[in-house]
Amino acid sequence: MKFNDSPVGIFDSGLGGLTVFKEIRKILPFEDLIYFGDTARVPYGNKSKETIIKYSSEILEFLTGRKVKIVVVACNTSSSLALDDLRKKAGVPVFGVIEPGAKKAVEVSSGGNIAVIGTSATIQSRAYSIAIHKEITFLNGDKSRRFNNGFKIIEKACPLFVPLVEEGFLNQEITKSVINHYLSSLIVEKPSCLVLGCTHYPMLKDLISAEIGGNTEIIDSGIETAEVVKNYLKKNGMLKVGAEKGGELFFVSDDIEKFKELGGKFLGRSMENVSLTDGDVIK
Amino acid sequence: MKFNDSPVGIFDSGLGGLTVFKEIRKILPFEDLIYFGDTARVPYGNKSKETIIKYSSEILEFLTGRKVKIVVVACNTSSSLALDDLRKKAGVPVFGVIEPGAKKAVEVSSGGNIAVIGTSATIQSRAYSIAIHKEITFLNGDKSRRFNNGFKIIEKACPLFVPLVEEGFLNQEITKSVINHYLSSLIVEKPSCLVLGCTHYPMLKDLISAEIGGNTEIIDSGIETAEVVKNYLKKNGMLKVGAEKGGELFFVSDDIEKFKELGGKFLGRSMENVSLTDGDVIK
């Protein structure tokens, strides 16, 4: 097999990364995609850095063992805490979801406040703040001056969003109340944009948008990451040649049927080719 | 060390089992207790039977390696799905939380309907229904005839209760709405009692009680399990001799600080002697 024809590897702690998978599939229809969801050990959002690095490294090994040409860490928690480590080990390019989301936030914000929501682990890591400041430093001249000293990055952990999505509470009054609970302290800061810093959150995008109001642009890191991946493959001559629809393989560490059922909601279509790993990944 | 002086081992997927620990401590003040919380892999409630047996067996090995005289599975999910397996392997008596809860439910119910709430895995296993039917079969004569053919066991999964408790939403309006959402279908069946089939749920006991009304007795499996353990140790001459306050050791597979902080809320006092396992358990 030619290198260009190798698959793109994508992983997440569970289902959430399917929102990234969906965006990648949308703009890269010919690529073969391998997705790994660590459903036996989900969620990562309340685990320690050491544990997240350990689990992510095991999955990386699984994917590189399947000769992927790049790896997309479609999990904000793992991107926040394990990315540097994974990049050192991988031997292939590794993309996270934080940098593309941070870049877009800086791009659309005209020096206004930036809000970021995510799991406890992502928010505690301050990965978005760091990436946003790095991005501003990279800008030159007028653009970087848009961000004066008064500008704020407001980060907020929303630990109940993932269980609500996994329970299928996508349009319930309870979900609206929880969104209001978490976001009310953000709204008073009038952010110019809000980064959905967890791959589950796009499933709540409409409710979040209704709560936060029309003046705040909502940024889906998954969409931005898909763009970055496409540009990288194109620029480096790594796009798959041919016009045949790309193949798809899904691997999970637990419970295929539940993954298919909920995953179908994430992708908006039924899922095929889901396999259970045989303990190679979950040591 | 004499066998009687050996510690009692207690484990859970995370924090919830501390409600059982607390009840055991209350009525067995002199016993040494070792608690293991699998915080790296919590929650168990949405995992498969195979995975739950695997994780539970690893913890059993850890506890028996520390020479415990009995093991209490202070986790309804693990009690539902792994207990038979653990009993075969253990070499010491193993107690689950299902049987004591089921026994109490049959005892207080005068042939009326029995409601059970728990995680998805516990409810799907139908472990409480099976245990309740077994208990009724054991009864003889008049007592068992109280349960006529019209009597129902109503089981309901409440997957959002654990994340709400872990987020500290113990008295919020949102929690009341979620309780109402899950319990409204139970209330119409006028159950004589409601079994809290998850060790997190006692933290929501007052709100659940307010929702379900005074005619339904609420059964905390933890309290019943503590009684069973005490009776067993007494009957078999296995109580620790002496009147010195029992020691306590806590082990977790991830994040000591978070465990101490939240665990303190569960126990209603600050926690000492918490250690991180060194990868012996989490393979």
Side-chain angles (χ1 to χ4, degrees), chain B residues 181-216:
Chain B
H181 172 87
Y182 287 129
L183 299 193
S184 53
S185 62
L186 291 183
I187 292 169
V188 296
E189 304 286 353
K190 297 192 175 63
S192 58
C193 62
L194 170 72
V195 182
L196 304 180
C198 169
T199 51
H200 276 78
Y201 296 2
M203 301 293 284
L204 301 175
K205 194 171 176 181
D206 290 347
L207 294 189
I208 289 170
S209 178
E211 178 67 29
I212 202 143
N215 292 326
T216 303

Side-chain angles (χ1 to χ4, degrees), chain A residues 149-225:
Chain A
N149 293 334
F151 128 88
K152 275 192 213 166
I153 301 169
I154 315 122
E155 297 195 83
K156 178 85 182 167
C158 305
L160 286 172
F161 284 2
V162 170
L164 284 166
V165 170
E166 301 249 337
E167 176 67 339
F169 276 39
L170 300 180
N171 204 17
Q172 253 86 341
E173 283 305 318
I174 288 165
T175 310
K176 290 179 194 171
S177 301
V178 174
I179 290 172
N180 173 272
H181 171 88
Y182 286 129
L183 299 194
S184 53
S185 62
L186 290 183
I187 293 170
V188 296
E189 303 286 355
K190 297 193 174 61
S192 58
C193 62
L194 170 72
V195 182
L196 304 180
C198 169
T199 51
H200 276 79
Y201 297 1
M203 302 293 284
L204 302 174
K205 194 172 177 182
D206 290 347
L207 294 190
I208 290 171
S209 179
E211 178 67 27
I212 201 143
N215 292 325
T216 302
E217 183 161 343
I218 294 189
I219 294 168
D220 178 343
S221 292
I223 295 176
E224 306 311 319
T225 304

Side-chain angles (χ1 to χ4, degrees), chain A residues 40 47-48 167 182 254 283, chain B residues 40 47-48 167 182 254 283:
Chain A
K47 302 195 196 324
S48 69
E167 176 67 339
Y182 286 129
D254 199 15
K283 314 225 164 174
Chain B
K47 301 194 198 321
S48 69
E167 177 67 340
Y182 287 129
D254 199 15
K283 315 230 164 168

Side-chain angles (χ1 to χ4, degrees), chain A residues 81-108:
Chain A
L81 296 163
L83 196 65
D84 291 344
D85 206 85
L86 297 177
R87 281 182 170 153
K88 275 178 213 149
K89 292 174 184 160
V92 295
V94 180
F95 296 87
V97 286
I98 307 282
E99 289 154 2
K103 193 166 183 294
K104 181 73 174 181
V106 170
E107 212 174 288
V108 305

Side-chain angles (χ1 to χ4, degrees), chain A residues 14-227:
Chain A
L15 288 156
L18 291 173
T19 61
V20 183
F21 178 97
K22 193 180 171 186
E23 299 303 332
I24 290 176
R25 171 51 80 222
K26 209 184 276 174
I27 62 172
L28 289 169
F30 309 128
E31 296 295 327
D32 291 331
L33 305 179
I34 298 182
Y35 182 91
F36 184 92
D38 196 3
T39 49
R41 304 188 293 196
V42 73
Y44 284 5
N46 49 4
K47 302 195 196 324
S48 69
K49 182 173 177 170
E50 293 65 35
T51 296
I52 291 161
I53 289 178
K54 181 174 180 286
Y55 292 175
S56 301
S57 302
E58 289 171 13
I59 300 168
L60 179 76
E61 211 175 296
F62 174 85
L63 290 172
T64 52
R66 295 191 154 251
K67 308 288 176 216
V68 295
K69 59 186 172 188
I70 61 164
V71 171
V72 181
V73 184
C75 170
N76 280 268
T77 305
S78 179
S79 296
S80 300
L81 296 163
L83 196 65
D84 291 344
D85 206 85
L86 297 177
R87 281 182 170 153
K88 275 178 213 149
K89 292 174 184 160
V92 295
V94 180
F95 296 87
V97 286
I98 307 282
E99 289 154 2
K103 193 166 183 294
K104 181 73 174 181
V106 170
E107 212 174 288
V108 305
S109 155
S110 303
N113 293 337
I114 295 174
V116 181
I117 55 176
T119 64
S120 299
T122 299
I123 297 306
Q124 271 166 33
S125 76
R126 306 205 61 241
Y128 272 100
S129 281
I130 295 162
I132 288 166
H133 280 298
K134 209 183 258 178
E135 190 59 33
I136 293 171
T137 314
F138 278 146
L139 291 174
N140 47 24
D142 292 346
K143 268 192 172 174
S144 72
R145 273 195 290 273
R146 290 187 330 206
F147 293 89
N148 61 41
N149 293 334
F151 128 88
K152 275 192 213 166
I153 301 169
I154 315 122
E155 297 195 83
K156 178 85 182 167
C158 305
L160 286 172
F161 284 2
V162 170
L164 284 166
V165 170
E166 301 249 337
E167 176 67 339
F169 276 39
L170 300 180
N171 204 17
Q172 253 86 341
E173 283 305 318
I174 288 165
T175 310
K176 290 179 194 171
S177 301
V178 174
I179 290 172
N180 173 272
H181 171 88
Y182 286 129
L183 299 194
S184 53
S185 62
L186 290 183
I187 293 170
V188 296
E189 303 286 355
K190 297 193 174 61
S192 58
C193 62
L194 170 72
V195 182
L196 304 180
C198 169
T199 51
H200 276 79
Y201 297 1
M203 302 293 284
L204 302 174
K205 194 172 177 182
D206 290 347
L207 294 190
I208 290 171
S209 179
E211 178 67 27
I212 201 143
N215 292 325
T216 302
E217 183 161 343
I218 294 189
I219 294 168
D220 178 343
S221 292
I223 295 176
E224 306 311 319
T225 304
E227 281 293 338

